[in-house]
Structures are given as structure tokens and as C-alpha cells.
Amino acid sequence: MAGFLKKIFSFGKKEVVEERIDETAPLPPIKWDALEALKPAPVEEAEAAPAIPPEPEIQPEPAPVEEPETPVEEPAPDEIPAAPVIPESPPGLEEIPEPAPTQPEIVHTAGPSSERDAAPHPPAGTFSPYRDGEKGADRPAEPPFESGKEEAPTLTPPSPRPSRGEGKGEGQRGPAQDAAPPAEAPLTAPGPEAPAAEIPPPIRQPAPIEAKPILAEIAPEPEAVPPPHPRLDGEGGREAAGWGDSAGASHPRASLGTSPIEAEVKREPVPQPPPEPKPAPGKVTVTKKVEQRAEPQKAPEPAPKRSWFQRMKEGLARSSRELSGNIAGVFTKRKLDEDTLQDLEDVLIRADLGMETALRITDSLAASRYGKDVSETEVRAIMAAEVEKVLTHVALPLELDLSHKPHVILVVGVNGTGKTTTIGKLAAKLTDGGLSVMLAAGDTFRAAAIEQLKIWGERTKSPVIASKLGADAAGLAYDAFEQTRQAGSDVLIIDTAGRLQNKTELMAELEKIVRVLGKLDPEAPHTVLQTVDATTGQNALNQVEIFRNVAGVNGLVMTKLDGTARGGILVAIAAKHKLPVYFIGVGEQVDDLEPFSASEFARAIAGVA
Ligand SMILES: Nc1nc2c(ncn2[C@@H]2O[C@H](COP(=O)(O)OP(=O)(O)OP(=O)(O)O)[C@@H](O)[C@H]2O)c(=O)[nH]1
């Protein structure tokens, strides 16, 4: 008789082997021992397969996977959409309802996984691939408590193994793909380990046990916390060892519960470093605020404080040196002739003195020294004399007509030219002189300007009238005038917004302020001061012209003459507009406002001792 065919299927290789058996041959005695031996065989394979092989393969993967994960922590949210993918796995897992309890844990792990990645344990790395596959679930894990529990059961048993065996290829895939594997895992994974995977459907029962170890794996990852290394390592080892640590399964949970927290704690400490820098900026800010308040406390500073003339001289030193140097260059080994006079005229114009003053100087020099040798010193002396002549007419003291109650002083000028600071300095002078002063914060565009004026009000004990940010400046001026009049104060000083002369709207508002004040007193504002930054060049000339036309400027304050001033422009402004220059600002302190002196300014700018 022909024998029967014995077919052996190999799922892994997808091959079918056929053998023909001779039926005529005598049947050998049944060896029950051999049969029993055969039974366990598959079981052992199944057990062996998951335990050892996966680990070595997984370890290499985790490393690369973790690296990308850490930087991608943020993208996690993006992966969240992967969550929907997870549902796919559940279907396959739905068969095993018991694992449900483990699911929530998985979710937890998912959440912390990202953190763990940062924690980076080489051993934990084995779990990282896991995370990759669970990334999608991990993200949702934070909201874990929601769907995580249900998904977990399905994911736990299959996903772990397949993830390891297949993780290599899929571990780095997107979350969506990661989620997919679980469902396919049972099918594809078997490829290499086919016999073991399929045979043990009953063996899968132990799978739940494996699921526990999976949790353990997850748990350790979060515990990536440096201190608990031993636990992590230990747990990781257990997992690899076969997950027989059913007891460990409980531990992992505990670890899961704690690990995420620890991970969070780690993150918190990381941001702690910022607090350290806090002191730095804090100090800086404080010092700035304290500068003005504390400086007066610093007794030593006032003593060494240079005279205002010295500060102005130093402020003009740069211009003076340049001017002297250029003058010296013109007259080196040369007699005064037309060429030298022309060169000198160019030098003076470049120093912002203006054409008119330059010609005055060259004419004066030519009248007395033409055709003769001229020294630089002689030129500077003549220049000082001529500059003084120009400035003498504008160096006038500020006079307040107190028959007006109050005498209204409107302060205008381009942004940052020193309006508010000058108001504070002036208020100090007036209050020191026994006059009662009120201040109006007419710069309603900047909150800082209002606060700055309030500070000056406190220093000078001058009430400050302010309104809400953005309020109508003209309305504020009107109210301030009335309140000051009712209070019987002597002087009202109104601050205004820094406005660029080319901004017609702002200039219109300035005109409105003047108009409104005139309703209460036709002669108000009685004094319109414009602050001019001495470091400004020729543009200052235009500023004066525009503000004079719009607001009726009738007096100037040249500020910042203690800095790198280009004092020459003051001479040009005086020569052109012939407006009184009441004060000069030589610093940021309350007493750094000096009456303008033509002779001292002229000597300083000419470099004459
Ligand atoms: N060195 C020096 N600095 C000054 C002087 N006057 C004002 N400042 C500084 O210049 C800066 C601007 O001064 P402010 O008074 O705010 O000028 P402002 O015109 O009111 O500015 P806005 O409110 O922006 O229109 C501040 O830092 C002042 O301390 C001065 O005479 N010398």
C-alpha cells in the first residue's frame, strides 16, 4: 500500500514539506515518554523565543529611537492623533478582556515615556523601542485615564513582543504605524517564530503575565530617574528574563505611578536654573531704580561731583578737540589768507556752528590777522569771543509772571529730548524757591511717561494730575489748569507727548492743547519751553522751527550737554531763532539744570580755559 503523506508546515519559511510513509512497515511500540517530550517542546520554544531573542534585538533599536524621541518630545501632541490608531489594536486584543486592568498602566507609561527618554538608561533603552511603538498611545497616555485603560489590554499582550521583534523595522515609524503593528503583530511576528506564536493560543494566557512585565518595562522607563537606577535595571532585567516577576508586575505599577511623577519632578528642577539668573536681572532693575533714589544717599558721590561747568566742558570736549585739531590743521605753517579762511569756515560749519557764526569768526579773524601767522590758540580765542556775542542775546533768565494764577508752563519737544526730566528739575528749583507747583501728565501715550512724572512729583512734593492712558491730552490740560487754579498754586507745568514734527496728527493735538488753555486764560500757556538734545545735529534747527510755529515756543532748554554734545548747534539755533536759552541740562539728577551762561558755553566749546 502506498503510504500516506505527512505534511509539515512551516509558517516562518512558508514552506510545505511532504514525506511519504510506508504503511507496510511494522508499527513501532508507542513511546509515551517521547510524546510527552514533544508536547512541551512547543511550549519551551514559545517561552524561549520571547525571553531571549527579543532583548538583544530591542536594545540596539532603543538607542536610536530614544535619541529622536527626546528632541521630539513636543511633537508628542502631534502624535496624539495617533491615538485613533490605537483603537485598531484593541480589536485584536478585545479577545482578552482581563488585561483591561493593565491597560491603564500602559497609558501611564506612554505618558512618561517621553520623559524617560530624556532620562536615558541604556537598559531602559530596551524599552524605548517600545515607546516608539506606543508613542501614539503615550501621548494620549497623559490623558491616559480616558481611553488608555481600554486600549491597554489589547496592546499589552501582543504589542510588547511584536514591537521588539518587529520594532527594528517599525520602531521608528510614525505613531500611526506603531499602533498598527499590534494588530498585525500576532500575524507577522510569527514569521520567524511562527510555531511558537500560533501554537500557544492557550499559551497566550500566560501572555497576560507577559503584559505585566511589559508594564514593568514601562514603569522602569519612567523611573529612568537617576536615583532609582537599580530598580530600573532590576525591573528591566526581570522583563527580559521572562517576566516571571509576577510580583514585579505589581511593583511596576507602583513604579509607574511614581515614575511619571519623578519624571515631572526632574523637569521642574530643570527649569529651576532660570531662577538663578533671576537675581541678576532683578538686581539690574533694582539698581536702575535705585540709581536716582540711592545716589543722593551716597554721600561720597556728591563730594566728587564735578561742577556743572566742568561737566559741560567735558561734554563739549569732543567737539572742542575736533574743532581745535581741525583749526590747527588749517593754520600749520600757513599765513592767514583766503584759502585758510575758507578752510576755517568749513571747519566751523562742520562743527554745527552755522554759516552765520562761521562768517562772524572768519571776518573777525581776517580783520586783525590777515596776512600774518596765526596760531591755533589765537583762532580759538577769537572764536570764543564771537560765539559769546551770539549767545549773549539768548542767555536770559527765566521769568515767571505770577500775576497769572497759575503761571502755565507748557513743555514740548521731540521724544527723548528730556522733557519730563527737565520738568522735574525745574519743579525742584521752583519749590525750593518757595513756589507751589502742580504737574500735569500730558503725555497720555506712554504709561511710563506718566509714572516717570509721578516720581518727579514725589521728589519735588508737587501734586501730579494724570488721566488714563490714551486720554485726550487737551482735556487733561484743561482739567489740570482748573484744578491748579482752584488749589491756588503758583505754577502749573504740563508735560506733553514726544511728538515728531512730521506727524501732523500729533502736532494738531499740541495745537489743541494751546487752544484749550487759552480758553481759561487768553495768555496761557505763558511759557512754552522746548527741550533740545545737545547731541542732535542739524535736525535740531528744524525741530525748533516747527515747534515754534505749532506751539509758540518762546524759550529753550538745551539738554544733555554733559554727554557727547555737539554744542555747535546751540549757537546756530541762537543765531537763527534768537530764542531765549533759559537752562542747560548737564546730567540726569534733580540739580543738573543750570542757567545758561553764554561766556562759559563759548569758552567750553572753543576749548579756552
Ligand atoms: N545725560 C543727560 N541725560 C538727560 C538729560 N536730560 C534728560 N536726560 C535723559 O534723557 C532720557 C530722556 O529723558 P526724558 O525726560 O524721558 O525725555 P522726554 O522728552 O520726556 O521723553 P519722552 O517721554 O519719550 O517724550 C532720560 O534717560 C533722561 O534721564 C541731561 O541733561 N543729561
Side-chain angles (χ1 to χ4, degrees), residues 414-421 425 443 446 449 452 498 559-560 562 585-588:
V414 172
N415 310 38
T417 53
K419 293 185 299 295
T420 307
T421 303
K425 295 173 180 178
D443 184 352
R446 293 196 315 121
Q452 185 183 355
T559 64
K560 308 183 186 182
D562 56 310
V586 290
E588 299 177 272

Side-chain angles (χ1 to χ4, degrees), residues 392-442:
T392 296
H393 301 290
V394 299
L396 302 172
L398 174 62
E399 294 181 353
L400 302 180
D401 184 357
L402 296 182
S403 63
H404 298 287
K405 281 282 186 178
H407 180 103
V408 180
I409 300 175
L410 183 65
V411 181
V412 301
V414 172
N415 310 38
T417 53
K419 293 185 299 295
T420 307
T421 303
T422 298
I423 289 173
K425 295 173 180 178
L426 181 58
K429 286 185 179 297
L430 300 180
T431 53
D432 287 348
L435 299 178
S436 55
V437 180
M438 292 187 76
L439 308 178

Side-chain angles (χ1 to χ4, degrees), residues 60-315:
E61 297 176 354
V65 174
E66 288 182 351
E67 295 178 356
E69 287 181 358
T70 54
V72 184
E73 288 182 355
E74 296 179 357
D78 298 338
E79 294 178 353
I80 293 174
V85 177
I86 295 172
E88 298 178 358
S89 62
L93 300 174
E94 289 176 356
E95 296 177 354
I96 303 171
E98 295 179 358
T102 60
Q103 295 177 349
E105 296 176 350
I106 294 172
V107 175
H108 288 293
T109 60
S113 67
S114 61
E115 297 176 353
R116 298 166 193 169
D117 296 342
H121 292 286
T126 57
F127 308 115
S128 67
Y130 217 39
R131 299 167 189 169
D132 295 343
E134 296 178 354
K135 275 183 179 180
D138 291 348
R139 309 307 175 180
E142 298 188 353
F145 308 95
E146 301 176 356
S147 62
K149 293 181 180 178
E150 297 177 357
E151 297 174 349
T154 58
L155 296 174
T156 52
S159 66
R161 290 182 182 177
S163 65
R164 291 182 180 179
E166 301 174 355
K168 291 180 180 178
E170 299 178 354
Q172 296 177 344
R173 292 179 183 176
Q177 294 178 339
D178 293 343
E184 300 176 356
L187 299 175
T188 57
E193 302 174 342
E198 290 189 350
I199 295 171
I203 296 173
R204 283 191 178 182
Q205 293 178 345
I209 297 173
E210 293 178 354
K212 294 178 180 177
I214 294 169
L215 296 175
E217 290 181 351
I218 297 167
E221 293 177 356
E223 290 182 351
V225 181
H229 279 299
R231 293 182 179 178
L232 295 173
D233 295 341
E235 293 176 356
R238 295 169 190 170
E239 298 170 356
W243 318 67
D245 307 339
S246 59
S250 62
H251 287 297
R253 292 182 179 181
S255 64
L256 286 174
T258 57
S259 64
I261 296 173
E262 292 177 353
E264 292 179 355
V265 173
K266 286 182 177 180
R267 289 180 176 180
E268 293 178 355
V270 175
Q272 286 179 353
E276 296 178 356
K278 287 182 180 178
K283 289 180 179 178
V284 174
T285 302
V286 172
T287 54
K288 286 182 177 179
K289 293 181 179 179
V290 173
E291 277 184 12
Q292 297 179 341
R293 298 178 180 176
E295 285 189 11
Q297 296 177 351
K298 298 177 181 178
E301 290 188 1
K305 189 174 182 179
R306 299 155 297 170
S307 68
W308 70 267
F309 178 72
Q310 187 61 29
R311 275 175 279 152
M312 180 184 72
K313 190 176 179 181
E314 291 178 4

Side-chain angles (χ1 to χ4, degrees), residues 445-460:
F445 288 88
R446 293 196 315 121
I450 297 174
E451 293 305 314
Q452 185 183 355
L453 190 68
K454 287 181 178 178
I455 292 173
W456 279 111
E458 293 177 359
R459 291 177 184 171
T460 61

